[in-house]
Amino acid sequence: MTGNPPDNPDQPGAARVRPYLPGAEQPPPPQQPAPHEYQQTPDHGALRPYLLTGGRVSSTGVALEIEAQVVTTELGQATREGLAYEKRDIVELCDAPLSVAETAARLGLHIGVVRVLVGDLVALGHLAVLRPEVGLASDVETIEKVIRGLQAIS
Amino acid sequence: MDSKRSPERAQPVAGGEGRRAPVPVKIVIAGGFGVGKTTTVGAISEITPLTTEAVMTSVAAEIDRTGAVPEKTTTTVALDLGCITIDPSLKLYLFGTPGQDRFGFMWPDLSLGALGALVICDTRRLDSCYPAIDYFEKIELPFVVALNLFDGTLAHDLADVRWALAIREQIPVITFDARDRLSVRDALLAVLHHARDVSSGKERARPRPAPIRTGDSRPSLRIAASDHPYRR
């Protein structure tokens, strides 16, 4: 692990705005937008992405597929107030099932970072995950189901 | 500590009503820059294609050799993400990814568990799809080569393209229009039909004959598949 672990991984600094961009002299907008909208365009350039995970590139829990479906558990819903920053955003966003990749895109976070954070939250029981079954991709029945579904598109 | 846990199967997720997650399946859309991957995903996805980014980890850094810049341990790559809900229990994801081998650190994640891949080619820059074809051949992921008809005309004969790519005759080579929803649908169907044929054993010609290579028309991929961490 080559990242430098910050003192507190849950507080990766407030630098949402890249400080050295031209035109960055005007201060960031004072009111914080809703958590899900504040990064429609990824702007984490000033931070090394894995800073958000304390430099870890794999989570304490399972290594998730990028298409694995994530949904907040009752525990997650009940305790979301206790979570900070990105983890709280993830728990709020995943009230309806979402894939890991979609979660990353909606939050404007790097996919590897979200995998680590989601893996942590799954290990803690805040999120439940539905992972694609091994062998699903070569299951003829599944493929035919997808074929029929696509053929219905017109 | 928890890494030995067996993967959760298709069981109801806590929460119940309307929050049951669909089973995810995926198709990879590969090809060089500017061949129409984003357009393809956008033409058929039921959501506006999302763009997400990935960063190379220090683990992958060994695979994605950074060559002349040894200090560089991060590479950022944008992925196009689209989805199609097949039915409430099944959701198809489309991942569009740059085909250059320097983005290879993402490929194991993208292709592991994929139903198949659509390799989009521009016949004017055919070499941009070599790494994708090499990779999918190596990991034996079913794929279809699709030529994007940019202006409605095909610059080269399909047989010529097949010859230039040196792919097996079982691999379909099709033409499509990335801007047209139904054309994209048919291209994805071609991938799925091919994947079904491969899975159902219609095409188990192994050990397969070595494809005829003409000189060094297909430079070898820098990433050794045996190196990648998901290889079993």
Side-chain angles (χ1 to χ4, degrees):
Chain A
M1 210 168 292
T2 56
N4 305 318
D7 294 329
N8 184 348
D10 282 331
Q11 294 192 14
R16 293 271 180 231
V17 177
R18 294 167 64 183
Y20 302 113
L21 284 180
E25 57 272 7
Q26 73 261 30
Q31 76 280 31
Q32 285 293 328
H36 299 167
E37 278 110 47
Y38 62 72
Q39 306 147 332
Q40 280 309 310
T41 52
D43 56 356
H44 283 268
L47 288 177
R48 295 189 62 187
Y50 285 98
L51 198 63
L52 298 178
T53 65
R56 290 170 303 137
V57 294
S58 58
S59 79
T60 49
V62 288
L64 293 170
E65 295 81 9
I66 55 177
E67 74 273 24
Q69 298 285 307
V70 179
V71 64
T72 306
T73 60
E74 282 166 1
L75 174 70
Q77 286 174 329
T79 58
R80 70 174 57 158
E81 305 301 323
L83 295 169
Y85 304 108
E86 286 77 17
K87 286 186 176 175
R88 183 165 168 179
D89 291 346
I90 291 171
V91 168
E92 286 182 356
L93 190 62
C94 293
D95 258 348
L98 269 189
S99 66
V100 174
E102 269 173 297
T103 307
R106 299 255 189 110
L107 293 177
L109 294 169
H110 286 283
I111 206 163
V113 174
V114 169
R115 272 167 55 161
V116 176
L117 296 176
V118 167
D120 290 353
L121 288 166
V122 169
L124 290 170
H126 292 294
L127 295 178
V129 65
L130 177 70
R131 305 177 64 192
E133 289 177 42
V134 176
L136 190 72
S138 52
D139 177 35
V140 174
E141 216 166 281
T142 304
I143 296 173
E144 284 180 344
K145 214 167 154 186
V146 180
I147 289 176
R148 285 195 296 275
L150 276 183
Q151 280 168 341
I153 292 176
S154 55
Chain B
M1 61 187 196
D2 224 350
S3 58
K4 290 272 164 62
R5 190 160 55 155
S6 63
E8 279 90 332
R9 289 305 162 110
Q11 61 200 2
V13 159
E17 62 321 317
R19 298 184 58 226
R20 207 168 157 163
V23 173
V25 291
K26 63 182 171 181
I27 291 178
V28 183
I29 314 287
F33 276 119
V35 296
K37 294 183 303 293
T38 309
T39 313
T40 303
V41 175
I44 199 159
S45 173
E46 63 195 22
I47 57 169
T48 311
L50 297 166
T51 298
T52 187
E53 295 193 339
V55 273
M56 185 170 65
T57 64
S58 55
V59 180
E62 290 156 27
I63 297 168
D64 191 14
R65 276 176 247 157
T66 44
V69 196
E71 307 305 315
K72 186 170 158 52
T73 53
T74 57
T75 290
T76 303
V77 50
L79 298 170
D80 297 311
L81 165 65
C83 66
I84 303 163
T85 302
I86 301 296
D87 65 35
S89 66
L90 194 61
K91 198 168 179 183
L92 174 65
Y93 284 93
L94 302 175
F95 288 104
T97 179
Q100 277 74 8
D101 57 356
R102 67 196 168 92
F103 297 123
F105 73 95
M106 272 309 287
W107 287 13
D109 277 338
L110 288 169
S111 37
L112 190 76
L115 299 176
L118 185 69
V119 179
I120 305 177
C121 289
D122 179 352
T123 50
R124 293 164 296 185
R125 291 170 291 144
L126 205 57
D127 56 339
S128 67
C129 69
Y130 291 168
I133 289 176
D134 280 338
Y135 184 75
F136 296 139
E137 274 183 352
K138 194 142 200 169
I139 65 166
E140 297 180 357
L141 182 71
F143 68 94
V144 168
V145 175
L147 308 178
N148 190 1
L149 297 179
F150 279 96
D151 44 12
T153 55
L154 185 61
H156 298 85
D157 196 50
L158 285 186
D160 291 346
V161 173
R162 179 186 292 282
W163 178 84
L165 293 175
I167 48 176
R168 288 185 297 152
E169 67 269 29
Q170 291 93 335
I171 291 171
V173 179
I174 60 170
T175 59
F176 83 121
D177 184 341
R179 297 161 299 185
D180 181 50
R181 183 174 161 86
L182 293 182
S183 185
V184 171
R185 178 200 69 176
D186 292 341
L188 295 179
L189 282 170
V191 174
L192 291 165
H193 285 302
H194 181 54
R196 183 187 57 187
D197 291 349
V198 171
S199 293
S200 61
K202 282 186 197 167
E203 197 204 297
R204 279 259 184 259
R206 282 205 281 158
R208 65 186 199 218
I212 300 158
R213 298 288 168 99
T214 52
D216 50 358
S217 74
R218 281 264 299 274
S220 66
L221 190 61
R222 282 188 302 160
I223 312 154
S226 56
D227 282 349
H228 83 60
Y230 292 83
R231 189 79 178 168
R232 309 227 157 100

